[in-house]
Amino acid sequence: MLVIVKVGGSVIRKGVDNLIREIPELLNNGHRVVLIHGGGYFINELMERMGLKPKFVTSPPSGVTSRYTDLETLRVYVMGMMFLNKELVSRLQGVGGVNAIGLSGVDGGLLRARRRESMIIIDERGGRERIVDGGYTGKIESANKDFIMRLLNDGFTPVIAPIAMDVKTGGGALNVDGDQALEVLSTSLTPNYAVILTDVDGVLINGKVINRVSAAEAQELFKNPEVRGGWYEEEGLYGSPVGW
Ligand SMILES: Nc1ncnc2c1ncn2[C@@H]1O[C@H](COP(=O)(O)OP(=O)(O)OP(=O)(O)O)[C@@H](O)[C@H]1O
Ligand SMILES: [Mg+2]
């Protein structure tokens, strides 16, 4: 069986010992595994240590808050994500029986994304909507299935960081969403299981897990204040809203 697992930043922050133990078992039982990881919390931590303020923007109509990736942020993002990537790979290599190989979506043209050229945000001062440059984030359009299959056939366990290459020639690296990487890789590789490994039982509303949602219901859930981002809101690490 082929299993694709997105390891949440929430899990990495709390410790990956259980995960590291379970991967060899899966492989020993003849399964093949592809890992994708997050780690937004770590980028914040790094930026703070560097004296840089993480920037966030709020998008209408959902009111969802997300990281704003300017060039400086992209540099720290790639730095931090690749550090976590190498940590995971070396832990997996160290446990024995797992030939882990760490990759960003740029390597081997693994993940191709279209840069968001502009975005509508809610201005923190005055609450008006405005259009601003999209920064260095993108929507993943495709995955290089052939490359991953070759790695799997050669006995490697790919560990993928949420960085993609801009489809535009010479466009460079982009910050992409790890959950979206799971979605695109799953559509492309058609695994037997696509797993989101996180530190919560599921999407919680009023403390209860929502077991099933339609796409339309999921859109509605965005409006619910209980559905928030991960690391940054929990820790109150809001940084500064982008001052335009
Ligand atoms: N309604 C909700 N139900 C469950 N979790 C929620 C909800 N709203 C926000 N969360 C957050 O989502 C987190 C889990 O998401 P995830 O595993 O993606 O971690 P993350 O901190 O968002 O890291 P990354 O996205 O970088 O992987 C939880 O720790 C919790 O803080
Ligand atoms: Mg998340």
Side-chain angles (χ1 to χ4, degrees):
M1 277 200 302
L2 175 62
V3 184
I4 307 189
V5 185
K6 186 257 175 173
V7 186
S10 56
V11 175
I12 297 179
R13 187 170 57 162
K14 288 180 177 165
V16 289
D17 290 0
N18 290 344
L19 173 75
I20 303 290
R21 250 197 311 273
E22 280 184 29
I23 301 295
E25 278 176 38
L26 279 171
L27 299 184
N28 284 338
N29 289 326
H31 305 307
R32 306 199 282 181
V33 180
V34 175
L35 295 174
I36 305 151
H37 63 85
Y41 80 95
F42 185 60
I43 310 307
N44 264 33
E45 215 175 283
L46 270 184
M47 289 186 79
E48 299 221 333
R49 287 189 190 195
M50 289 174 163
L52 303 168
K53 269 221 170 294
K55 294 171 182 160
F56 297 94
V57 286
T58 304
S59 313
S62 58
V64 169
T65 301
S66 54
R67 175 190 304 284
Y68 185 76
T69 309
D70 57 10
L71 185 58
E72 201 168 50
T73 306
L74 179 75
R75 288 177 176 151
V76 183
Y77 183 85
V78 173
M79 214 185 277
M81 282 300 177
M82 291 324 289
F83 176 79
L84 293 181
N85 188 271
K86 299 313 141 196
E87 285 273 295
L88 277 174
V89 170
S90 63
R91 291 282 315 269
L92 287 165
Q93 285 285 349
V95 81
V98 185
N99 200 0
I101 183 165
L103 299 164
S104 78
V106 171
D107 300 291
L110 183 51
L111 297 172
R112 294 164 67 88
R114 188 163 297 275
R115 187 179 92 88
R116 185 149 41 147
E117 304 216 343
S118 64
M119 63 200 288
I120 301 172
I121 63 154
I122 302 168
D123 198 318
E124 293 290 322
R125 290 161 302 198
R128 296 254 300 266
E129 291 184 8
R130 1 183 352 180
I131 298 176
V132 297
D133 183 85
Y136 294 88
T137 57
K139 187 172 185 309
I140 307 172
E141 290 192 335
S142 61
N144 186 344
K145 175 180 177 179
D146 186 53
F147 179 38
I148 293 283
M149 292 317 291
R150 273 159 62 183
L151 290 173
L152 288 171
N153 290 338
D154 280 347
F156 289 105
T157 296
V159 181
I160 304 167
I163 299 165
M165 59 176 284
D166 193 344
V167 285
K168 220 168 103 183
T169 311
L174 296 173
N175 166 353
V176 289
D177 183 40
D179 300 272
Q180 201 181 90
L182 176 76
E183 178 201 327
V184 174
L185 282 165
S186 298
T187 308
S188 166
L189 301 173
T190 57
N192 303 83
Y193 289 98
V195 178
I196 293 184
L197 188 62
T198 181
D199 68 336
V200 284
D201 291 334
V203 177
L204 301 166
I205 301 291
N206 294 324
K208 287 220 179 88
V209 175
I210 305 282
N211 285 316
R212 271 188 104 82
V213 283
S214 66
E217 285 163 355
Q219 283 298 332
E220 284 301 306
L221 280 181
F222 275 127
K223 297 180 190 150
N224 190 316
E226 270 187 82
V227 177
R228 306 175 310 263
W231 43 276
Y232 48 88
E233 292 200 7
E234 290 238 317
E235 300 292 312
L237 288 174
Y238 251 106
S240 58
V242 179
W244 300 99

